[in-house]
């Protein structure tokens, strides 16, 4: 898996001095088949890319993705009761399994979740009785005969239409949505509560977790991420800013304030510092496709947990341990609060997560090999193999290494996605989407 990746496309977004804050990509997600890839940005837009079929005449285009549909999912709003602006930024996108010719996805900003239908239209009806071809209504008294309308071919049109709007259920900012394995319900999580929704019902949801204390001054932790189990519709997990993960079973009680399992790694007292609590906060949690494991990402590492063992992770991978000596400056520039995501490959044998300087890290769980790659226009020519990058932590720096002091903390990869079946990965670097595929021998 880590033999090499080729870069072959990126998003059509503004670059250079014209970069607007609204163009920054805020989420990336493949659908269940991997045929479609959706990105959301801070401007409330959703851009969907479609996988181009492989051609015998052009085998080098294997895995090419092109723009399929673009639509405005959310608009900026204002909460007049709280005098609060609600930005349009897309926090999460989750696809629903395809049931028919149309595709459905959930997108959310801080307060409102929307269910979108993406469908194709390549025929139009002609020959109406009550209106002319240009759409004007005809005089009913002048109609002397009836016509049967016919469907005529037209240029392919991709339409995105909102089918459901789930609003007014979260007091705090939504950080996660996750579709349940029953494909009928989904959960949404904010800082203090998790709600369970039915996809057909928009006017009510069930509150299944509420950690808000009676006195907000007693608040010690917040919910950072939540996800449903891929096979058991009654099981879900949520992570906290204290570095703990709780697994809950909805069969036990209607309100899952009492967890079924509690995952926490004991802290080493010798390594405790002022920043320990901040860097232990979990920014993402993901179940493996098999449902046996889950992966969590904190500021410096990725951990893989066996659901049957709560006291410590079975695997720990250091993402950028060389930044431990830089935590003071990272705290001053607020980078220490960045929320990095992580993802599994289709077979759960490898994991990927982002870092700074547009670096992203991949770890092979079988061989325990790891690699650092860079997503940038300067180092990546289309269809060229990516070269591994290394960071020098001090002493004599080798030719191809980059010094830890010269890392650019404004260039960061927070959002990544892995194709559910193939070795194709999508990496969001600020306002650019990079798609890489494994090397063709």
């Amino acid at each position: 898996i880590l033999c090499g990746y080729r870069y072959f496309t990126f998003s059509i977004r503004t670059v250079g001095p014209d970069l607007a804050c609204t163009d920054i990509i805020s989420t990336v997600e493949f659908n269940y088949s991997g045929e479609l890839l959706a990105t959301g940005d801070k401007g409330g837009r959703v851009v969907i890319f479609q996988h181009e079929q492989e051609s015998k005449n052009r085998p080098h285009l294997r895995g090419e993705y092109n723009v399929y549909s673009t639509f405005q999912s959310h608009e900026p709003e204002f909460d007049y009761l709280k005098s609060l602006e609600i930005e349009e930024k897309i926090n999460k996108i989750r696809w629903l399994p395809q049931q028919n010719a149309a595709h459905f996805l959930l997108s959310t900003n801080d307060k409102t979740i929307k269910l979108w239908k993406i469908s194709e239209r390549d025929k139009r009806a002609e020959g109406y009785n009550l209106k002319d071809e240009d759409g004007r209504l005809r005089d009913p008294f002048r109609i002397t005969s009836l016509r049967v309308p016919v469907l005529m071919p037209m240029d392919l049109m991709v339409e995105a239409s909102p089918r459901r709007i789930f609003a007014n259920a979260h007091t705090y900012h939504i950080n996660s949505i996750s579709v349940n394995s029953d494909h009928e319900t989904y959960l949404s999580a904010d800082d203090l509560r998790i709600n369970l929704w039915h996809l057909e019902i928009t006017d009510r949801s069930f509150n299944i977790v509420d950690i808000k204390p009676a006195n907000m001054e007693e608040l010690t932790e917040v919910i950072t991420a939540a996800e449903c189990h891929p096979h058991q519709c009654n099981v879900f997990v949520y992570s906290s800013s204290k570095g703990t993960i709780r697994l809950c079973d909805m069969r036990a009680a209607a309100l899952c304030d009492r967890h079924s399992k509690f995952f926490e790694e004991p802290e080493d007292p010798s390594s405790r510092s002022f920043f320990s609590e901040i860097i232990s906060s979990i920014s993402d949690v993901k179940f493996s496709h098999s449902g046996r494991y889950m992966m969590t990402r904190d500021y410096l590492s990725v951990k893989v947990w066996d659901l049957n063992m709560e006291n410590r992770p079975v695997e720990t991978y250091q993402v950028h341990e060389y930044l431990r000596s830089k935590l003071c400056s990272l705290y001053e520039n607020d980078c220490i609060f960045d929320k990095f995501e992580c993802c599994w490959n289709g077979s759960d044998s490898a994991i990927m997560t982002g870092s700074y300087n547009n670096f992203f890290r991949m770890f092979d769980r079988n061989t325990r090999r790891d690699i650092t790659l860079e997503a940038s226009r300067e180092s990546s020519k289309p269809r060229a193999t990516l070269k591994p990058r290394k960071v020098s932590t001090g002493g004599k720096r080798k030719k191809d290494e980059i010094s830890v002091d010269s890392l650019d903390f404004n260039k960061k990869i927070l959002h990544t996605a892995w194709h559910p079946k193939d070795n194709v990965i999508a990496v969001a670097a600020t306002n650019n989407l990079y798609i890489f595929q494994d090397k063709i021998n």
Side-chain angles (χ1 to χ4, degrees):
I1 289 171
L2 306 184
C3 62
Y5 274 79
R6 299 178 67 193
Y7 147 84
F8 64 89
T9 187
F10 47 83
S11 68
I12 48 168
R13 294 176 181 272
T14 53
V15 291
D18 298 327
L19 170 61
C21 179
T22 55
D23 288 327
I24 296 174
I25 299 173
S26 54
T27 183
V28 183
E29 186 79 5
F30 279 103
N31 74 339
Y32 280 77
S33 66
E35 288 297 304
L36 298 178
L37 170 66
T39 67
D41 63 25
K42 287 194 171 183
R45 294 181 296 265
V46 172
V47 181
I48 300 175
F49 298 85
Q50 184 182 43
H51 177 255
E52 294 294 321
Q53 295 301 318
E54 186 176 347
S55 169
K56 290 183 179 179
N57 300 328
R58 298 188 298 170
H60 62 280
L61 289 182
R62 181 180 74 98
E64 185 88 44
Y65 280 78
N66 290 315
V67 175
Y68 178 64
S69 176
T70 303
F71 59 92
Q72 188 72 29
S73 173
H74 287 72
E75 300 280 358
E77 298 175 51
F78 191 82
D79 187 332
Y80 293 98
L81 291 175
K82 297 181 179 177
S83 296
L84 196 69
E85 285 187 29
I86 303 169
E87 63 176 349
E88 64 271 36
K89 173 193 164 192
I90 308 295
N91 291 340
K92 284 286 185 289
I93 290 174
R94 290 292 180 264
W95 291 91
L96 272 64
Q98 189 176 4
Q99 308 288 351
N100 49 40
H103 297 272
F104 290 86
L105 63 81
L106 290 166
S107 63
T108 184
N109 65 352
D110 285 340
K111 299 290 182 183
T112 305
I113 305 160
K114 295 184 180 181
L115 173 66
W116 290 89
K117 177 184 179 182
I118 295 94
S119 55
E120 295 181 354
R121 194 150 58 103
D122 59 358
K123 291 182 175 65
R124 69 171 183 270
E126 289 185 0
Y128 287 105
N129 290 287
L130 296 178
K131 58 185 179 182
D132 294 324
E133 300 304 328
D134 57 3
R136 288 182 300 179
L137 290 175
R138 298 172 64 189
D139 185 353
F141 296 104
R142 294 186 178 180
I143 300 173
T144 57
S145 61
L146 291 177
R147 295 181 293 178
V148 178
V150 293
L151 291 175
M152 300 295 291
M154 58 176 278
D155 291 338
L156 179 67
M157 181 186 297
V158 180
E159 297 178 318
S161 55
R163 303 310 299 265
R164 307 271 188 280
I165 296 177
F166 307 88
N168 305 320
H170 284 279
T171 307
Y172 306 97
H173 291 177
I174 299 171
N175 56 48
S176 301
I177 51 175
S178 179
V179 180
N180 211 335
S181 59
D182 60 13
H183 304 154
E184 291 184 351
T185 57
Y186 74 92
L187 61 81
S188 59
D190 64 24
D191 295 335
L192 297 177
R193 296 186 179 100
I194 300 176
N195 293 333
L196 182 69
W197 300 83
H198 194 285
L199 286 163
E200 299 291 330
I201 302 171
T202 60
D203 59 352
R204 64 184 180 275
S205 61
F206 295 97
N207 179 230
I208 53 176
V209 172
D210 188 347
I211 65 168
K212 183 182 178 182
N215 181 6
M216 284 296 280
E217 292 182 0
E218 299 172 2
L219 182 68
T220 58
E221 63 180 336
V222 295
I223 298 168
T224 56
E227 186 171 67
C228 296
H229 192 278
H231 307 302
Q232 300 172 26
C233 62
N234 51 286
V235 174
F236 68 95
V237 294
Y238 67 94
S239 57
S240 85
S241 56
K242 275 193 168 181
T244 61
I245 312 104
R246 293 170 173 85
L247 184 142
C248 301
D249 191 333
M250 287 185 276
R251 295 173 300 183
L255 189 63
C256 299
D257 285 349
R258 292 187 178 181
H259 48 265
S260 300
K261 292 188 176 184
F262 183 77
F263 300 85
E264 183 179 27
E265 185 175 25
E267 185 185 16
D268 182 4
S270 63
S271 63
R272 177 151 186 87
S273 69
F274 170 77
F275 306 106
S276 293
E277 194 166 316
I278 301 174
I279 63 174
S280 66
S281 175
I282 293 173
S283 56
D284 196 17
V285 58
K286 293 276 174 61
F287 278 110
S288 63
H289 295 88
S290 67
R292 171 70 186 272
Y293 302 96
M294 67 177 173
M295 169 172 54
T296 59
R297 171 72 208 260
D298 56 43
Y299 189 67
L300 293 178
S301 64
V302 173
K303 295 172 183 174
V304 176
W305 302 77
D306 189 323
L307 295 189
N308 298 324
M309 190 167 77
E310 303 169 49
N311 59 341
R312 61 184 173 85
V314 291
E315 300 163 27
T316 301
Y317 302 96
Q318 300 302 330
V319 178
H320 38 217
E321 182 64 20
Y322 47 79
L323 294 181
R324 192 175 287 274
S325 61
K326 303 283 182 185
L327 291 178
C328 190
S329 57
L330 290 166
Y331 178 77
E332 290 173 357
N333 62 17
D334 283 345
C335 284
I336 201 169
F337 301 106
D338 286 335
K339 309 294 184 189
F340 291 95
E341 296 175 4
C342 52
C343 61
W344 301 85
N345 72 337
S347 62
D348 300 333
S349 61
I351 56 182
M352 173 173 61
T353 190
S355 182
Y356 294 105
N357 208 65
N358 279 357
F359 288 171
F360 59 98
R361 302 269 283 141
M362 303 173 77
F363 304 92
D364 191 313
R365 297 180 61 211
N366 297 326
T367 63
R368 294 305 175 110
R369 290 173 57 205
D370 64 271
I371 193 170
T372 302
L373 299 171
E374 182 180 2
S376 71
R377 292 167 180 259
E378 294 77 21
S379 65
S380 307
K381 293 181 180 179
R383 280 172 266 285
T385 302
L386 290 180
K387 293 181 179 178
R389 303 303 303 267
K390 288 190 176 179
V391 177
S392 170
T393 54
K396 206 168 184 181
R397 183 163 61 91
K398 295 180 182 177
K399 180 183 176 184
D400 295 330
E401 290 183 342
I402 181 170
S403 169
V404 67
D405 296 317
S406 59
L407 294 174
D408 189 343
F409 294 109
N410 292 318
K411 294 180 178 178
K412 59 191 81 171
I413 291 177
L414 303 177
H415 314 288
T416 59
W418 205 314
H419 191 290
K421 298 173 183 174
D422 300 329
N423 276 335
V424 175
I425 57 175
V427 173
T430 318
N431 64 316
N432 292 314
L433 176 70
Y434 294 88
I435 302 178
F436 303 90
Q437 67 181 31
D438 60 342
K439 187 164 60 179
I440 306 170
N441 295 322

